[in-house]
Amino acid sequence: MSESERAASRTAVLVCQGRAAADGRFATDRFGDPVAVRLLRAEEREAVDEVRAGTPPEGWRARMAYESVRACAEVVVPRTVAIDDAVRARVTGQLVILGAGLDTRAWRLTELAETDVWEVDHPASQRDKRARLAEAAPEVTARSVRFTPVDFATDDLGAALDAAGHDPARPTVWLWEGVVPYLTRDQVRATLSALAARTAPGSTLVLNYQAPSVKAAAGRLLTRLLGSAVTAGEPWRSLWRPRRMASLLAEYGFHVASDDSLFTLAVSLYSPAGGHTSLRSGRVAVAESG
Ligand SMILES: C[S@@+](CC[C@H](N)C(=O)[O-])C[C@H]1O[C@@H](n2cnc3c(N)ncnc32)[C@H](O)[C@@H]1O
């Protein structure tokens, strides 16, 4: 199957399941995503309900789904809180979400009432999201949501944003969450180059990426060997050390204001349990233009 013919992202569903499982359970004063569960199909809610109840199912396949959602719930809490805080603090009239998946911010953050949101995603993932939204019909809290289908591997991001009405002369908050690992280094550079060309002074890039970690790589390999359909179709293609990421961003006119591991963020919010590998290798950076 070619890149453009591929199916909707399974990892986008997993992250949404993680947010649904964490809603009302972790860091309840800082984290909440009541919209996430509404975007899930009945069979996708099963593992979420089991995680929320703390009742692991029988059978290894169901148990793997349960463990993936349980682990994901811990990772998405600090990631969501850090990103929500950064977006709220820097809100401008334009927010572009790259690789939006089942992101709920345009239906959740009331601070976006004066902001137009562009949801950029692979066409297959975006079709799937729009079908889910049509069923769930959550209320939009942003000023507008503009769906912009783009395959970062083949399409011209700038042309797509132009066609969708994004204004490169006005400041933009760019959000790139949970996508960089799935892109090659060249695709990361090409995307940065396209967004830098549309970045007015006063813009911000909020970036979640993955640093190299032997333990995280081994864990992912193990879940692939055990036959996880979620990670099998969406391999990691690029991992970045923070210093390398900072110099890459500098090449495109962004200086890093903060760059924290999810573990550091998590301990400020709740007491993370169990293995901390994904928390330690995941990072959220906030970079300013100019
Ligand atoms: C793990 S999901 C993250 C979704 C969302 N940002 C979140 O954190 O909930 C990865 C997203 O990256 C998108 N993606 C991966 N490769 C892509 C590509 N080549 N072009 C466009 N989108 C891509 C997928 O469609 C999916 O929505």
Side-chain angles (χ1 to χ4, degrees):
M1 193 192 315
S2 78
E3 287 273 351
S4 56
E5 288 166 344
R6 71 184 190 190
S9 167
R10 301 279 297 268
T11 58
V13 174
L14 175 61
V15 184
C16 187
Q17 288 174 302
R19 287 192 290 261
D23 183 48
R25 288 177 57 243
F26 291 99
T28 48
D29 54 333
R30 303 284 306 283
F31 172 84
D33 190 345
V35 182
V37 72
R38 298 174 59 189
L39 297 184
L40 296 173
R41 306 204 191 287
E43 65 276 16
E44 294 160 355
R45 288 184 195 179
E46 276 171 33
V48 170
D49 292 340
E50 288 159 355
V51 169
R52 292 180 67 81
T55 51
E58 299 289 332
W60 70 272
R61 255 188 205 287
R63 182 63 191 252
M64 262 183 62
Y66 171 93
E67 291 301 340
S68 305
V69 173
R70 190 193 57 74
C72 189
E74 282 216 21
V75 168
V76 293
V77 171
R79 176 167 131 178
T80 305
V81 169
I83 292 172
D84 284 357
D85 285 354
V87 169
R88 284 192 186 103
R90 292 162 175 83
V91 78
T92 65
Q94 304 194 105
L95 170 65
V96 178
I97 307 181
L98 301 160
L102 300 179
D103 190 291
T104 58
R105 291 183 175 87
W107 295 266
R108 184 166 64 73
L109 297 186
T110 50
E111 293 84 352
L112 297 179
E114 301 300 320
T115 296
D116 299 309
V117 176
W118 283 262
E119 286 221 342
V120 179
D121 206 351
H122 191 279
S125 302
Q126 193 155 86
R127 263 194 306 277
D128 177 58
K129 180 174 194 174
R130 297 186 76 167
R132 290 167 189 266
L133 284 168
E135 271 179 46
E139 201 176 319
V140 178
T141 53
R143 181 163 56 197
S144 71
V145 186
R146 303 174 190 195
F147 294 101
T148 313
V150 171
D151 182 343
F152 297 127
T154 53
D155 296 338
D156 182 337
L157 173 63
L161 284 171
D162 252 340
H166 172 256
D167 182 354
R170 290 196 294 127
T172 298
V173 176
W174 302 95
L175 169 55
W176 211 4
E177 177 186 17
V179 186
V180 168
Y182 302 104
L183 304 180
T184 63
R185 285 180 181 264
D186 284 348
Q187 289 163 2
V188 171
R189 279 184 174 280
T191 306
L192 275 173
S193 163
L195 73 85
R198 311 184 61 84
T199 292
S203 299
T204 306
L205 170 61
V206 183
L207 172 74
N208 161 235
Y209 68 100
Q210 209 67 30
S213 148
V214 174
K215 267 187 165 175
R220 249 186 110 76
L221 180 64
L222 183 65
T223 49
R224 282 178 79 176
L225 292 175
L226 287 172
S228 164
V230 174
T231 49
E234 294 170 64
W236 278 356
R237 296 185 162 111
S238 73
L239 306 171
W240 300 82
R241 292 187 198 288
R243 263 223 299 239
R244 196 73 204 280
M245 180 53 81
S247 57
L248 176 74
L249 295 178
E251 277 180 51
Y252 292 97
F254 288 96
H255 73 271
V256 173
S258 66
D259 183 347
D260 297 302
S261 86
L262 296 183
F263 183 72
T264 309
L265 296 164
V267 291
S268 71
L269 294 169
Y270 65 100
S271 305
H276 299 146
T277 309
S278 315
L279 282 174
R280 287 193 192 278
S281 55
R283 305 189 70 84
V284 173
V286 178
E288 318 277 4
S289 69

